[in-house]
Every structure is written in structure tokens, then in C-alpha cells.
Amino acid sequence: MDIREGIKSQFLDLGIELSDSILDKCVEICVLHNIDEDAFVETWMAYSVTNLEGEAPTIETLSTMERKEFANKSKNGSTNTPGSRPSTTPLTIYNKTPTSSKKPAVENWNRLENITPKGTKNAGLFGKHLSTPVSQPNFSPASFSPISTTPSGKYSARTNAGEAVVDFVERTPGDWMGKERVALTIAPYRDEVLTTRCRIMMEPLSEKAAVLNDVIERVGSYLVEINGLQEPTYNHSVSATEVVCVGRICCDSNDHLNPSSVLLEGSRDKCLGQSVLLDLSRLTHFTLFPGQVVAVVGVNPTGQRFIATKLYHSAPLPLPPVLPRFTAPIEIVIAAGPFTQTDSLTYEPLEDLMRYVTSHRPHVLILIGPLVDLRQPQLTAGSIAETYDDFFDKIVKGIVNQLKGSWTQVVVVSSADDAACLPVFPTPPPLSQNPSPPLHLVSDPALLSINGLVIALTATDSLMHLGKEEISFPPGGSDRLGRLASHLIQQQHLYPLWPPSEGLTVDSELWDAHASLPLTPHVLVTPSHFRYFIKHLHGCLVINPEHLTKGTAGGTFARLEVEPPTDDVWTPASHISVQIVKI
């Protein structure tokens, strides 16, 4: 096969058909610069991916590529002889300078006892001076662009590293160093664990309707039971005396919910799935969002308009029936992605976090995705020179390798925004790994038990999605973040909003099976773009650690120390100390 046919065949294999004039130009470049068809096609594809987003060649782009890739090599006599392949790709692949050649980390990074931030009670919690910088792996990907591997100037210039910005401390912490491996269970109190082997997005509308109906029946009956209400009735029944109706809050249009557009959709068993307009004018206060299951007391004089006099929406489940069982404090570090800035792929924040973890050796390190962020501009521009799965694997292996010889277990929570995960919620763990302890790849949402301490986690910004849709009266009520977080516990669900936020693809069957709460956890971790907080709600400690990076700047992470039970008395509020710390 001659050069012309070889080039034509290889481009056809790539789904590109070249015209005769473009083929002539390709052959001309090969002959002029003394290269074979394999080297030419390889060079063109690398150039096209880097500069043209993978476009097919034209006369103009071929000429530009020739000047950039072959002109200098011809002058230096460095081109290959016919029939030979280049020893390396003609496209330069960049990577970050190994961390060992970087300047040592600022010594005060872990010296929290020397920092007294405004409003904190104990800035030295878990603080330990790190005198010798720990060698870190290079988390940044192999890249076609030197810009991707350039460290972020804004992040490097930060001055608040190690600052404790929020405290939830009720006691003096003990020795912050894991001495033994804890018992970690995935999905306790659930019937099954979400895996990639599940059926996804293959549901008929009848199944979706059945799922939504089951949620109304389950949460609605619990609301009636705990509030001692009478048997619910059909929501269209004409009644001049007060009756009880149970249903799901909906909007009468595709617009945002408002007090005049609220519908109450009943269950199929009680109301044949029909909706009735809900009149809120007699309520002194309310907080509602689409998908919320409520029990309403009121009258319906005409059968077309239910006038509410009382509204019940809080149905928190009991805490775990068994107390945590351990004799020494448990230390946990929690960080949520993204783990690199928007202007760099060097993963410096992750390296700094691992520097902290390798120094303090907690029992459990929880990393909430995305690890490979689909919203990272340089990543979406196709600048990395390895697959998303390979890059994800490299990051995870680099983390685990640093913790060899310690008792630290690593939990990685999937995310629909992670390039290595399926873009669906709930999100199964990535396909690319066959993890074994100390590494655990878990779904989003996830439920964990650490020596009996039950922690619920989600990588999806449920609070922000709820905040965009929720209405409340009177407006401007106090502690909005606490109210939004309470909805997750009160509705027994880590994503109670329905329909879901635009851009989030939800499988309703998995949503009900794996995002609902079988009980109220001891700790609920819900990272959000809202400001970080720690709140004690319905017996549960709710933590928003925010994200490890915020644009081009550094973000925050959380660290917990859990005190063992004493005399069979244990509550999250009195036995868990938490800080949110600047990276």
C-alpha cells in the first residue's frame, strides 16, 4: 500500500473521508519531510485534538500544522526516515514539576494552636505541628497544554491556610492519631448496595408514577401517625368541616412555585392521583417546595379548592437503634470536590489535604466527588493526554499509596459531575476500579457505619437546588440554611425535590431506593455552594464543609473527632467535635 492509500485508509478508520486535494497535500507533506503515513496521521490527530477540537483536516490547517510541527525538525535534520516511526509523539506532553522539587510547605499550615480566628472557641482542635514536609505524588494529569500544569497564583498567594472558620466543640480533644482500623460498613440498614450493574434510565412512566406514589404513601402515613391525625380523605371531597388530606406539593405550571400556584397531589389509593388547589391564606407560617409530602388539615367547600388551616411536613425518623460501640475516639477528615482550581490542573489543594492527612493519620478519610470535575474548563477543552478513567485511577492510587502503613481507610463518594462516573443520580461507583480495603468506592448518596456511627453523605448540592425552589412565609425567616437542611431529615430523603433541578438526570427507582433515608443518621454531610455550617437538627449533626476549592481560590474541609459512649449515654451533639478549616 502506497502512502496515499495508507493515509486515506487510516482517516477512514477514524470516520473522516478526505478529498483528493487534501490527500495530495498530505502526501506532499510526507514526501517533503521524509515521514511515513503512520507518523503523519499520528501527528495530525495530536495537533487537531490540541488546537482544533478534533476537526477534520483542510488545506489551510494542514499548512499551519506543517509549519508548526515539521519545519523546525527539517532544519535540524531530526525527521524520521521513510518506513520508520518516531520514537516519541511529535506533540509535547506536559506535566507538573514533581512536588519534591517544590518549596517546603508553610510550617504554620498545621500549627492551628497559633491561629485564633474570629468567633472560634478552640482553634487548636486536632492541631499538630508538621515539622517535616511529606513527599506528595503528582496528581496533575499528563497534558497537551503547559497552561494546565501551571500552578495557580491566587491559590499559592493565600494567607489563611489552616484557619478554623467554624467550631462545634463541646470538649477538649484527645490524641489525634488513629491507632487501629475501624469497622466500616457500606449501606447499613439498606437492602442492597448501589453498583454499576444496576439498570439505569430504563423505566416506563408507569413505574415512575408508582415510585412517586409510594413516597406519598410512606411519608404521608408516617406524618399522620406521629401527629395523631384522623384518617386522610379524598382531596376533592366536598367538606364544610375540617378533614385531613395527604399529598405531594406541586406547581400548577412549569414556572417556579408561588403561594398562588400550590397544588396538592394525592396518592392513587386515596385520591386517584388527582390534584387540588391548595389555599394557604389562613396559615400563619409555612415552608414548601415541589415534591414535599405534607398532611393538611382544612375544609373544601366546593371540592375544587382546599383551604388549609394546619399543615404538617416534618416527619424525621428515629436515630439508629444501636449506640456506637468503640472505646477510643474516632477521627475523620471529610473534603468535597472539586479538588483543583478552575485555572489549573495541578491538584495543589488535594496535595495539601494529603499532607495534612499523612501527618495526622485519621481513621477515615472521606473524599466526596468529583475528583475529575467535568466543569473544569481545561479538562473539558480536551487538554489532558490520558483517559478520564486512567486519570481517576491515578488520583485514587496516589492517595492510597501515601497512606500505606497507617490505619486510615479511604472512602471516595461518586458524583454525577465526575468524568469517570455515570451522569445519573443516584450515581453508582466508577467502573474502572476493583477496590479493596483500605479503599472504598461508594455511590452518591452513600450511607456508612463507622463502628456504629452512621453517616449519610451526598455529593449533589441538594441545599442549593431546594433553595431555588422553596417558598416560605413570613418571608426572610431566620436561619434559612438550617431550614433547608432540615427538609432532608424531615422528608426522610437526601434529595426530596421533585421534579429535580434542571441538569440533574434522576432515575426515579434508584432515587427512591438509594437516596431515601431508612433512619435519621448521626451525621449528615451535604456539601453545597452555600456558606459552610455545622448545625444540630432533629438529633443529627448536619455539616456543610463547602468545597476544597472555590474557583481559583482555596476552600475548606471538615474534621471530626467522635468520643466513645459513656454509661450507655451518647448523642451526636455532646460526643462529636467538628471544625471546618481552610485548606
Side-chain angles (χ1 to χ4, degrees):
M1 183 183 296
D2 62 13
I3 291 179
R4 184 185 182 89
E5 289 301 318
I7 294 173
K8 181 179 180 180
S9 174
Q10 290 196 40
F11 272 103
L12 284 174
D13 289 341
L14 296 170
I16 301 173
E17 186 173 355
L18 302 182
S19 65
D20 290 340
S21 59
I22 294 177
L23 272 173
D24 292 340
K25 181 64 177 179
C26 295
V27 173
E28 176 186 330
I29 294 174
C30 289
V31 173
L32 182 62
H33 299 284
N34 201 22
I35 59 174
D36 65 2
E37 62 270 23
D38 292 337
F40 171 80
V41 174
E42 183 179 344
T43 303
W44 165 257
M45 292 309 300
Y47 175 82
S48 177
V49 167
T50 305
N51 300 281
L52 305 174
E53 299 183 355
E55 291 185 4
T58 65
I59 299 294
E60 293 75 16
T61 54
L62 283 170
S63 299
T64 304
M65 186 271 289
E66 179 186 14
R67 290 194 301 271
K68 290 185 176 181
E69 298 295 335
F70 296 116
N72 292 334
K73 293 181 181 179
S74 297
K75 292 177 182 178
N76 297 328
S78 59
T79 52
N80 299 297
T81 58
S84 66
R85 294 179 63 86
S87 58
T88 60
T89 174
L91 184 67
T92 303
I93 296 179
Y94 301 87
N95 213 328
K96 195 189 70 169
T97 303
T99 308
S100 57
S101 65
K102 291 172 58 179
K103 297 172 68 175
V106 178
E107 289 195 351
N108 278 341
W109 139 241
N110 272 314
R111 196 186 283 271
L112 299 181
E113 64 270 24
N114 291 340
I115 302 175
T116 309
K118 181 180 179 180
T120 59
K121 295 179 290 182
N122 181 5
L125 177 62
F126 314 143
K128 180 173 291 187
H129 177 52
L130 178 60
S131 58
T132 305
V134 180
S135 177
Q136 303 290 316
N138 184 2
F139 288 117
S140 60
S143 173
F144 292 124
S145 169
I147 298 176
S148 301
T149 58
T150 303
S152 173
K154 185 173 182 179
Y155 178 79
S156 303
R158 73 197 190 286
T159 59
N160 57 358
E163 177 183 342
V165 292
V166 179
D167 265 333
F168 189 91
V169 182
E170 298 296 334
R171 57 179 189 79
T172 303
D175 182 22
W176 174 239
M177 183 72 72
K179 296 297 192 302
E180 59 184 12
R181 182 161 293 177
V182 295
L184 196 153
T185 305
I186 308 299
Y189 304 100
R190 292 202 190 279
D191 295 333
E192 60 181 1
V193 178
L194 178 59
T195 68
T196 50
R197 292 187 295 274
C198 62
R199 185 186 68 169
I200 295 176
M201 306 305 291
M202 298 283 290
E203 51 186 2
L205 289 177
S206 58
E207 288 188 14
K208 181 178 291 188
V211 166
L212 296 175
N213 184 75
D214 290 345
V215 173
I216 295 175
E217 291 284 346
R218 182 176 67 245
V219 180
S221 61
Y222 191 70
L223 276 168
V224 170
E225 177 186 345
I226 63 175
N227 290 288
L229 303 177
Q230 67 186 49
E231 182 70 17
T233 186
Y234 180 56
N235 60 12
H236 275 279
S237 296
V238 176
S239 175
T241 59
E242 286 191 344
V243 295
V244 176
C245 283
V246 170
R248 182 167 61 97
I249 296 298
C250 301
C251 183
D252 66 0
S253 68
N254 291 326
D255 206 349
H256 291 288
L257 195 68
N258 65 71
S260 300
S261 66
V262 179
L263 299 178
L264 182 68
E265 181 185 279
S267 69
R268 289 189 298 183
D269 294 343
K270 294 290 183 183
C271 307
L272 303 178
Q274 293 185 354
S275 301
V276 65
L277 187 64
L278 195 59
D279 187 333
L280 307 173
S281 59
R282 296 190 184 182
L283 296 177
T284 58
H285 63 276
F286 59 80
T287 172
L288 300 172
F289 61 87
Q292 183 182 32
V293 178
V294 298
V296 189
V297 178
V299 296
N300 193 351
T302 65
Q304 303 300 316
R305 188 183 190 90
F306 194 94
I307 303 173
T309 56
K310 295 179 183 177
L311 188 146
Y312 301 88
H313 62 83
S314 179
L317 293 166
L319 288 165
V322 180
L323 287 177
R325 293 295 179 187
F326 49 96
T327 57
I330 296 175
E331 297 89 19
I332 305 170
V333 170
I334 303 174
F339 293 92
T340 190
Q341 307 87 352
T342 56
D343 61 345
S344 174
L345 278 172
T346 56
Y347 280 76
E348 288 182 287
L350 179 57
E351 292 186 357
D352 284 339
L353 178 69
M354 290 310 301
R355 189 172 289 112
Y356 180 85
V357 171
T358 52
S359 171
H360 290 74
R361 304 286 184 175
H363 290 95
V364 182
L365 168 64
I366 299 176
L367 300 176
I368 302 174
L371 261 66
V372 185
D373 186 12
L374 278 173
R375 297 165 296 184
Q376 215 282 346
Q378 296 172 9
L379 194 71
T380 56
S383 64
I384 68 171
E386 52 191 315
T387 67
Y388 294 144
D389 288 345
D390 288 344
F391 185 30
F392 181 91
D393 291 350
K394 182 175 79 171
I395 293 174
V396 171
K397 289 175 182 176
I399 292 168
V400 173
N401 288 339
Q402 286 187 81
L403 298 173
K404 286 182 177 178
S406 74
W407 296 110
T408 302
Q409 299 192 61
V410 180
V411 177
V412 178
V413 181
S414 302
S415 169
D417 290 326
D418 198 309
C421 297
L422 293 172
V424 65
F425 179 86
T427 310
L431 286 164
S432 57
Q433 284 272 346
N434 293 310
S436 58
L439 173 64
H440 307 270
L441 298 183
V442 300
S443 63
D444 170 33
L447 201 63
L448 308 177
S449 173
I450 303 173
N451 281 5
L453 175 77
V454 178
I455 302 179
L457 309 110
T458 179
T460 304
D461 197 343
S462 303
L463 301 185
M464 182 63 72
H465 293 181
L466 281 171
K468 293 178 180 179
E469 301 295 337
E470 184 208 44
I471 60 172
S472 64
F473 181 82
S478 60
D479 193 15
R480 180 172 181 246
L481 294 181
R483 187 178 71 240
L484 293 174
S486 290
H487 289 319
L488 307 186
I489 302 173
Q490 292 171 349
Q491 291 290 297
Q492 309 172 12
H493 210 283
L494 291 170
Y495 194 88
L497 182 67
W498 195 275
S501 178
E502 185 177 355
L504 183 67
T505 302
V506 175
D507 183 292
S508 61
E509 187 175 351
L510 299 181
W511 170 80
D512 185 39
H514 297 281
S516 61
L517 288 171
L519 41 68
T520 296
H522 297 120
V523 179
L524 194 161
V525 182
T526 172
S528 174
H529 288 291
F530 282 126
R531 191 170 180 82
Y532 40 71
F533 63 77
I534 306 167
K535 296 183 182 295
H536 184 231
L537 304 169
H538 304 285
C540 172
L541 211 57
V542 182
I543 303 171
N544 168 22
E546 222 171 311
H547 303 281
L548 198 66
T549 61
K550 297 171 66 175
T552 59
T556 50
F557 67 95
R559 54 191 184 182
L560 295 72
E561 183 163 285
V562 186
E563 184 73 10
T566 55
D567 301 326
D568 292 329
V569 177
W570 191 95
T571 62
S574 60
H575 288 75
I576 302 180
S577 299
V578 188
Q579 275 192 331
I580 294 177
V581 183
K582 290 282 188 181
I583 187 64

